[in-house]
Amino acid sequence: MSNMQVRTRFAPSPTGYMHIGNLRTALYTYLIAKKNNGKFILRIEDTDQERYVEGAVDLIYKTLAETGLNYDEGPDIGGDYGPYIQSERKGLYKEYAEKLVSLGNAYYCFCDKERLDALRTESEGDKGIPKYDRHCCSLSPAAIEENLKSGKPYVIRQKMPAEGTTSFDDAVFGTITVENSELDDQILLKSDGLPTYNFANVVDDHLMGITHIVRGSEYLSSTPKYNLLYEAFGWEIPTYIHTSPVMKDAHKKLSKREGDASYEDFTRKGYLKDAVINYIALLGWSPGDDREIFTLEELVEAFDIKGISKSPAIFDVKKLDWMNGEYIRKLSPEEFHEQALPYYKQAIQTTDIDLYKISGLLHTRTEKLSDIPEIIDFFDELPAYDTALYFHKKMKTDAEKALPVLKEILPVLKNVENWHQQEIHDALFALIERLGIKNGQVLWPLRVAVSGKKATPGGGIELAEILGKEECIKRIEKGIALIESQ
């Protein structure tokens, strides 16, 4: 395979959203192709029409475009191995299933639903794995001919070897061996003439020249069935890379049904797409050193299949928050302002607030954009707060000590002519010196009075400047009245 061009594929089913495990498969598939100067292909597997969701295909295109996982061939851009949508290929699977029958590796099965249901009930009673009993495997050519002529519905089943074992090598899990006696004669072609997922996959991967297949470790046990098909046709077997699941915790897989986030949920919550991709790359893969921050180009450079882990990866939101914060700090001030703007609008209706100044305070202090409204809502309106907020052990102050200080601050700020940070700062520090007290005993009461919050983006002086002289003085007067009333 060394002289062949590496070709990988991402083959999602259009069932709605792009969950994190799915996106990780797409990413690893992309990285393997790009690392080896190969081709990355998008194929849409839509043969399960019952699960098809309107608009889901566009969502797949959009997500891959947004995250920079640009494919070289696909339904919307074409290529030499199309069509790239499974339902548009349905004519070709029957021919391959019939070829397997003629090779002796598959057979026509005419059993009706009643018989199969009875068989299943029987095997459940025996506590066995429901398996087809090969009733049609030994039909005579004349009986098969007769059934086909009379138009009796049929499926085509794969004929598994009855004894021995089948082995395959996985790039992550090593050699996997199964007893052939455990393999069921799986259906390849359904009675409506459409292929099963397992069969269509093998045929398409071969016809599209796929050399490396990335998929979840839940498919490890069905891989021998795939390989028996490759061998029956005399086709080259691709390299398999099975990845362990992404877990919510030690016992639970991430799942949409449990309300776990999809890619869209993360971007909606204000995570940056580059941070999400970087974080997902490290869910079950390690670069072999301590690096944690990678651009997509750097991931291509560093990626090695040997770094993929057999152990399940735990999705750690705190780690993602940290990483997202690192990415936010890497934005230019203009980029940050632009990304933060929609979140400011959720919390600030007042028009005379300088939002650029708020960006200056938040840029280095934000982990995810969706936290912003709650951090800055006090700019719009002073929240109701308790005077206990004036207590600060380190600043050596409380409501009782704050009251005379606020009364001193008031005339000082009223006298500031040019309402700028530097002037406010100088006036307050002159007051601190005059009163002979610690900085915090003036600055903490000011911060509480103007924000009504325990934690704010920036200190009292910065907040006072942004709020403007009139509003700032109004809030300090409110603070004085509040303490006096208690």
Side-chain angles (χ1 to χ4, degrees):
M1 203 175 274
S2 56
N3 58 355
M4 281 171 71
Q5 185 189 40
V6 168
R7 288 174 60 82
T8 67
R9 50 79 172 166
F10 176 50
S13 300
T15 54
Y17 54 91
M18 179 80 82
H19 62 74
I20 292 304
N22 231 356
L23 189 56
R24 183 185 65 167
T25 300
L27 175 61
Y28 288 1
T29 307
Y30 170 87
L31 294 175
I32 291 166
K34 296 301 152 192
K35 174 79 186 221
N36 296 290
N37 298 315
K39 294 270 190 266
F40 172 52
I41 289 105
L42 173 66
R43 180 172 79 223
I44 303 291
E45 307 214 321
D46 62 343
T47 48
D48 189 349
Q49 288 296 323
E50 277 160 37
R51 290 176 64 222
Y52 183 83
V53 174
E54 203 56 55
V57 177
D58 290 331
L59 194 68
I60 292 165
Y61 296 153
K62 183 173 164 268
T63 304
L64 294 176
E66 245 178 53
T67 50
L69 304 181
N70 302 318
Y71 39 94
D72 302 291
E73 299 167 26
D76 54 339
I77 57 170
D80 298 337
Y81 296 81
Y84 294 92
I85 293 186
Q86 231 167 29
S87 57
E88 291 173 17
R89 302 170 65 84
K90 59 184 176 211
L92 56 86
Y93 304 109
K94 188 168 191 246
E95 176 196 327
Y96 282 96
E98 285 168 348
K99 188 177 180 196
L100 271 183
V101 173
S102 65
L103 290 168
N105 295 95
Y107 57 92
Y108 292 101
C109 168
F110 301 95
C111 293
D112 58 22
K113 191 176 176 305
E114 284 72 28
R115 183 173 188 280
L116 294 173
D117 286 347
L119 200 63
R120 193 172 294 116
T121 313
E122 212 174 290
S123 70
E124 277 166 8
D126 300 341
K127 293 278 182 283
I129 302 161
K131 261 179 73 175
Y132 179 63
D133 63 356
R134 298 201 148 173
H135 177 73
C136 292
C137 190
S138 49
L139 288 177
S140 68
I144 294 167
E145 192 58 36
E146 178 64 31
N147 282 340
L148 289 174
K149 258 197 186 128
S150 65
K152 197 171 181 185
Y154 67 88
V155 298
I156 292 181
R157 287 182 183 273
Q158 184 175 357
K159 186 179 180 182
M160 297 297 179
E163 53 251 9
T165 59
T166 298
S167 295
F168 75 96
D169 289 311
D170 182 75
V172 177
F173 287 85
T175 304
I176 305 276
T177 302
V178 297
E179 295 289 330
N180 290 334
S181 58
E182 287 173 13
L183 300 174
D184 187 20
D185 285 4
Q186 63 175 349
I187 294 172
L188 304 176
L189 200 74
K190 297 180 282 194
S191 54
D192 59 7
L194 283 177
T196 53
Y197 171 79
N198 287 335
F199 186 53
N201 246 334
V202 169
V203 173
D204 288 344
D205 285 339
H206 170 72
L207 294 179
M208 292 183 179
I210 303 302
T211 60
H212 293 67
I213 293 173
V214 181
R215 61 168 172 237
S217 55
E218 66 270 22
Y219 291 104
L220 272 172
S221 59
S222 51
T223 303
K225 301 177 189 178
Y226 295 114
N227 284 4
L228 289 165
L229 289 171
Y230 279 103
E231 283 165 2
F233 282 120
W235 295 342
E236 186 151 1
I237 291 173
T239 300
Y240 292 107
I241 301 114
H242 285 87
T243 55
S244 290
V246 180
M247 309 288 281
K248 192 177 187 161
D249 53 40
H251 312 288
K252 264 190 166 164
K253 270 187 180 186
L254 275 187
S255 92
K256 184 72 177 176
R257 260 178 247 125
E258 296 268 338
D260 294 322
S262 64
Y263 168 74
E264 295 80 39
D265 294 331
F266 283 114
T267 51
R268 217 176 289 123
K269 282 180 186 163
Y271 289 94
L272 304 184
K273 60 182 187 330
D274 294 347
V276 175
I277 284 288
N278 187 160
Y279 180 70
I280 288 175
L282 298 170
L283 277 177
W285 171 78
S286 156
D289 54 32
D290 294 336
R291 279 187 301 165
E292 294 196 287
I293 304 291
F294 292 88
T295 62
L296 194 53
E297 291 70 32
E298 287 164 348
L299 281 173
V300 169
E301 201 48 50
F303 197 77
D304 188 328
I305 293 169
K306 292 188 187 76
I308 297 175
S309 165
K310 288 182 197 176
S311 328
I314 306 281
F315 194 94
D316 178 356
V317 174
K318 284 194 177 69
K319 177 85 181 272
L320 174 60
D321 287 350
W322 166 80
M323 189 172 278
N324 199 59
E326 294 291 306
Y327 271 84
I328 284 178
R329 283 185 275 290
K330 284 203 258 178
L331 297 173
S332 70
E334 295 73 29
E335 285 171 329
F336 175 74
H337 184 71
E338 198 179 312
Q339 299 253 18
L341 215 46
Y343 297 92
Y344 296 162
K345 299 211 166 113
Q346 287 175 29
I348 298 178
Q349 307 305 318
T350 319
T351 49
D352 49 6
I353 292 271
D354 186 339
L355 299 177
Y356 278 100
K357 284 186 175 157
I358 291 183
S359 288
L361 293 182
L362 286 177
H363 191 174
T364 57
R365 294 179 169 96
T366 304
E367 278 201 329
K368 60 176 189 292
L369 299 170
S370 58
D371 294 339
I372 290 175
E374 208 181 314
I375 296 171
I376 61 163
D377 55 8
F378 69 89
F379 281 112
D380 212 41
E381 196 181 343
L382 184 69
Y385 66 95
D386 194 297
T387 55
L389 220 49
Y390 285 102
F391 173 74
H392 197 303
K393 198 172 172 184
K394 207 167 119 209
M395 306 284 188
K396 299 193 171 22
T397 186
D398 56 25
E400 202 180 322
K401 290 190 182 119
L403 183 59
V405 171
L406 288 173
K407 287 179 172 174
E408 291 277 4
I409 290 173
L410 207 52
V412 167
L413 291 184
K414 279 180 179 171
N415 282 330
V416 174
E417 287 296 319
N418 289 323
W419 195 259
H420 291 299
Q421 211 171 302
Q422 194 57 52
E423 279 84 345
I424 300 167
H425 174 278
D426 294 348
L428 289 170
F429 273 76
L431 172 67
I432 290 165
E433 201 167 321
R434 181 160 63 75
L435 296 176
I437 58 178
K438 291 191 176 311
N439 296 353
Q441 290 175 301
V442 168
L443 300 180
W444 182 255
L446 173 66
R447 184 197 277 219
V448 171
V450 298
S451 70
K453 286 199 154 192
K454 190 174 183 162
T456 55
I461 295 172
E462 295 161 305
L463 303 181
E465 182 197 33
I466 294 171
L467 283 162
K469 185 170 179 176
E470 197 186 324
E471 180 65 20
C472 181
I473 285 171
K474 213 160 75 186
R475 291 186 179 198
I476 294 168
E477 285 168 344
K478 259 191 186 165
I480 292 169
L482 182 68
I483 299 173
E484 287 182 331
S485 71
Q486 290 199 345

